[in-house]
Amino acid sequence: MICLLPNCCFLSETSRMLEVYRALRARGAEVRVATHGGPYARVLTDARVAYDLIGEGMGPERCASFVRSVPGIGSPDQSMWAYEEMRDYVQAEVAYFRTHGVRAAVTGWTLTALLSTRVAGIPLVTEHAGSFLPPVFERGLLPAPSRPVGLPLERWLPRPVRRWMVNKGAAGLTLYTGDFNRLAHELGVEGVPSFPALLLGDLTLVTDIPEVLGVSQDDVDSWTPRDPSRYRAGTRLRYTGPLYARLPLPVPERVERFLTGRDPIVYVAVTSSEPELVRRIVGSLTPLDARILVAATVHELGDLENQQVMVEPLLPNHLIMPRVDLAVAAGGQGSVQTALASGVPLIGVPLQPEQDANVAFAERAGAARLVPIAAAGTRRMTKIASAVLADEHYRHNARRLQGLFAAVDGAGTAAEAVLDLIGETAETTPRPVAPRSGQQ
């Protein structure tokens, strides 16, 4: 039995986990889905995927506070869960694993699984590290942060110096790990020695391709830590390819009508953010000679609607993005990959360093532009959006990456990596060719 543990406070994670679920089931695997609750559990319900609720369940207010607490947004001296809350969830997960004979767990931001799987004695697979990976920062490939992250004298340091400091210091960060280690000691299991270790399971799925990440397949799949003390014993990485959502939702009729016509269309899908940021972004786009489609998700943004702007609560990005001229997202890996897989250029407004990297790597490939959050809602963003719409090179490069993405079955390869871990044989055609080697 394989247990998927999506954190349903996040649309991107819930939808990506849904892709892994489908791929595992297509290969004949026994799968259970369990969650702490959250507003996007409805995505599972809409897809007719049964799930179990572990613990009391996180309501909308708790999920909103959780999102505000994550790295890059919340204070780094906390663990995202209150200590007692964390202990309760860990114990509930352990009981769930034992009751259902779970042999491996797969998660993203249900980070309590870092401890519960150790107590239960089963391996943990993670898929949420994005571009914040040891082979990336060990090679100095992370960009300088687009917003303050607490570096000494950060305001006065040149960008190359900030970039060097971020890459050099990444492995030694211990942000957000305090309560995890306190509870690990209480439970008598291995702790979490660094912030990068907080993002890595026993097996971490690298859900990208070498041409974007900038690290070859061999260097990822054979990675061993330069400083083993910074990671939990046995941590491994494996390239599996792009993993993004294909929500089983129709395109609403009024959106279909909006998508027709001559004017360019800009699609704004900035989830897991404060609504004011979305308002600022839309405000910077309205001077363009373009129509604007907004995915509001959990935000109340209906007042933005007018002849130029349409707002819908939830849209299937994989069906919308191929029909627009420019996508605007925070820069989560799923949103970036959906745009590139659709052959559409992207503007990213990162909320945290991992999103900085996702957008910066797409920008390096010539298919995106990064706009710092401080510039959202300003004339600078208006000018950048206008430039991307006018320059065909962005779309050409996005379409080049679209072809590379199409050659890789990311969800299928992820499912096979999980099955390989527990020694099961996939009931399917041979594994797709791994992503082609990329830059060093």
Side-chain angles (χ1 to χ4, degrees), residues 6 57 67 90 97 188 210 222 249 265-266 340 373 391 429:
V67 171
V90 167
F97 297 152
S222 64
L249 299 174
I265 299 176
V266 181
L340 299 181
I373 194 169
D391 189 342
T429 54

Side-chain angles (χ1 to χ4, degrees), residues 8 11 21 28 82 100 138 145 154 174 189 201 237 297 324 396 402 435:
C8 293
L11 173 60
Y21 171 87
H100 297 290
E138 288 173 356
E154 187 166 9
T174 57
V189 297
L237 310 178
T297 59
V324 306
H396 170 78
Q402 179 184 30

Side-chain angles (χ1 to χ4, degrees), residues 97-151:
F97 297 152
R98 289 173 173 167
T99 297
H100 297 290
V102 172
R103 297 177 59 195
V106 185
T107 195
W109 279 98
T110 305
L111 299 181
T112 46
L114 287 164
L115 302 184
S116 61
T117 52
R118 281 290 192 268
V119 176
I122 61 174
L124 175 66
V125 182
T126 57
E127 51 77 29
H128 66 288
S131 300
F132 196 86
L133 293 161
V136 173
F137 53 72
E138 288 173 356
R139 288 164 174 75
L141 298 178
L142 290 178
S146 64
R147 62 187 302 191
V149 294
L151 296 174

Side-chain angles (χ1 to χ4, degrees), residues 241-253:
L243 183 63
Y244 53 91
R246 294 173 176 85
L247 291 178
L249 299 174
V251 178
E253 184 177 341

Side-chain angles (χ1 to χ4, degrees), residues 75-319:
S75 172
D77 61 358
Q78 45 85 40
S79 301
M80 294 165 276
W81 288 267
Y83 187 77
E84 295 296 333
E85 179 188 32
M86 182 187 294
R87 180 199 285 131
D88 289 346
Y89 275 125
V90 167
Q91 292 174 340
E93 289 164 15
V94 171
Y96 185 88
F97 297 152
R98 289 173 173 167
T99 297
H100 297 290
V102 172
R103 297 177 59 195
V106 185
T107 195
W109 279 98
T110 305
L111 299 181
T112 46
L114 287 164
L115 302 184
S116 61
T117 52
R118 281 290 192 268
V119 176
I122 61 174
L124 175 66
V125 182
T126 57
E127 51 77 29
H128 66 288
S131 300
F132 196 86
L133 293 161
V136 173
F137 53 72
E138 288 173 356
R139 288 164 174 75
L141 298 178
L142 290 178
S146 64
R147 62 187 302 191
V149 294
L151 296 174
L153 304 175
E154 187 166 9
R155 289 179 55 190
W156 295 276
L157 292 175
R159 178 178 291 271
V161 175
R162 288 189 286 121
R163 177 175 180 175
W164 178 84
M165 291 179 69
V166 165
N167 284 281
K168 191 70 174 176
L173 293 173
T174 57
L175 315 175
Y176 301 93
T177 60
D179 281 352
F180 284 92
N181 289 320
R182 178 184 165 199
L183 183 54
H185 179 75
E186 178 183 326
L187 297 172
V189 297
E190 184 180 14
V192 183
S194 68
F195 176 71
L198 193 69
L199 307 180
L200 305 178
D202 298 292
L203 173 65
T204 296
L205 308 179
V206 180
T207 52
D208 213 326
I209 58 175
E211 293 86 346
V212 174
L213 195 64
V215 184
S216 74
Q217 179 175 344
D218 287 344
D219 285 340
V220 165
D221 291 354
S222 64
W223 172 81
T224 56
R226 293 180 181 178
D227 182 354
S229 69
R230 300 296 186 184
Y231 302 94
R232 304 207 299 175
T235 300
R236 295 188 294 120
L237 310 178
R238 178 166 163 180
Y239 256 128
T240 54
L243 183 63
Y244 53 91
R246 294 173 176 85
L247 291 178
L249 299 174
V251 178
E253 184 177 341
R254 74 185 200 113
V255 175
E256 286 281 2
R257 293 194 298 270
F258 190 80
L259 292 172
T260 62
R262 296 182 179 179
D263 292 340
I265 299 176
V266 181
Y267 179 43
V268 179
V270 182
T271 62
S272 302
S273 69
E274 295 296 321
E276 183 53 35
L277 175 60
V278 182
R279 294 179 185 278
R280 287 163 52 199
I281 290 171
V282 172
S284 69
L285 299 173
T286 52
L288 301 174
D289 185 18
R291 289 169 292 147
I292 304 164
L293 177 61
V294 180
T297 59
V298 296
H299 303 318
E300 295 292 337
L301 299 172
D303 59 291
L304 291 176
E305 283 220 10
N306 54 43
Q307 290 185 339
Q308 184 185 16
V309 180
M310 176 173 285
V311 179
E312 277 287 323
L314 192 61
L315 290 167
N317 282 354
H318 71 294
L319 299 180

Side-chain angles (χ1 to χ4, degrees), residues 39-63:
Y40 295 112
R42 71 177 188 269
V43 170
L44 301 172
T45 301
D46 290 344
R48 298 183 179 180
V49 173
Y51 65 89
D52 298 315
L53 188 64
I54 292 181
E56 296 182 358
M58 298 173 73
E61 291 185 4
R62 177 64 187 98
C63 272

Side-chain angles (χ1 to χ4, degrees), residues 12-74:
S12 57
E13 178 175 329
T14 307
S15 55
R16 281 158 59 96
M17 201 69 74
L18 181 58
E19 295 304 308
V20 176
Y21 171 87
R22 290 168 172 158
L24 284 168
R25 293 292 295 139
R27 286 155 175 77
E30 287 187 289
V31 186
R32 298 190 76 96
V33 179
T35 174
H36 296 177
Y40 295 112
R42 71 177 188 269
V43 170
L44 301 172
T45 301
D46 290 344
R48 298 183 179 180
V49 173
Y51 65 89
D52 298 315
L53 188 64
I54 292 181
E56 296 182 358
M58 298 173 73
E61 291 185 4
R62 177 64 187 98
C63 272
S65 68
F66 184 86
V67 171
R68 291 193 298 269
S69 74
V70 299
I73 301 175

